[in-house]
Amino acid sequence: QVQLVESGGDLVQPGGSLRLSCAASGTIFSVSARSWYRQAPGKERELVAMITSGGSTTYADSVKGRFVISSDNAENTVYLRMNNLKPEDTAVYYCNLVTVRGPIKNIYWGKGTQVTVSS
């Protein structure tokens, strides 16, 4: 069974930085993409950033130029570097992993890590 464990969430002042990590364990193969999502109170979960197995990245417009997603495939870890944090970045951040093997697609989620941006 695949497990994802996020870490790095914290309380930070506006303008500050954080780096989130997500370590995957278990039998993992045919990774298609690794992503970070977030969910703020009263809002739907939204995609923040995604990195494909080929290294292509996608970002939400709200974080472009401030957040950077990267991965260490050998360690099965994905990172999210967040700079110039704003109060509206406050949310629970979730790690997501998608694997595709032939017709079988699996989606895995971590339990989330809280990021709070406040003075």
Side-chain angles (χ1 to χ4, degrees), residues 41-56:
K43 295 187 177 181
E44 294 186 354
R45 191 173 296 190
E46 63 173 355
L47 175 67
V48 176
M50 178 177 69
I51 184 165
T52 68
S53 59
S56 298

Side-chain angles (χ1 to χ4, degrees), residues 9 19 42 53 78 97-98:
R19 189 180 81 155
S53 59
V78 62
L97 172 68
V98 177

Side-chain angles (χ1 to χ4, degrees), residues 35-95:
S35 303
W36 287 96
Y37 285 72
R38 67 186 180 187
Q39 187 166 19
K43 295 187 177 181
E44 294 186 354
R45 191 173 296 190
E46 63 173 355
L47 175 67
V48 176
M50 178 177 69
I51 184 165
T52 68
S53 59
S56 298
T57 57
T58 302
Y59 296 93
D61 287 343
S62 59
V63 307
K64 282 181 181 177
R66 299 188 297 122
F67 291 11
V68 178
I69 188 170
S70 61
S71 66
D72 183 335
N73 294 330
E75 295 294 328
N76 275 319
T77 302
V78 62
Y79 305 95
L80 184 68
R81 177 65 179 180
M82 305 185 293
N83 298 317
N84 190 22
L85 282 159
K86 304 176 180 181
E88 51 264 41
D89 295 318
T90 295
V92 178
Y93 284 70
Y94 297 92
C95 178

Side-chain angles (χ1 to χ4, degrees), residues 102-118:
I104 301 174
K105 180 178 181 180
N106 291 306
I107 301 173
Y108 304 96
W109 291 94
K111 294 183 178 180
T113 185
Q114 176 70 48
V115 172
T116 303
V117 184
S118 175

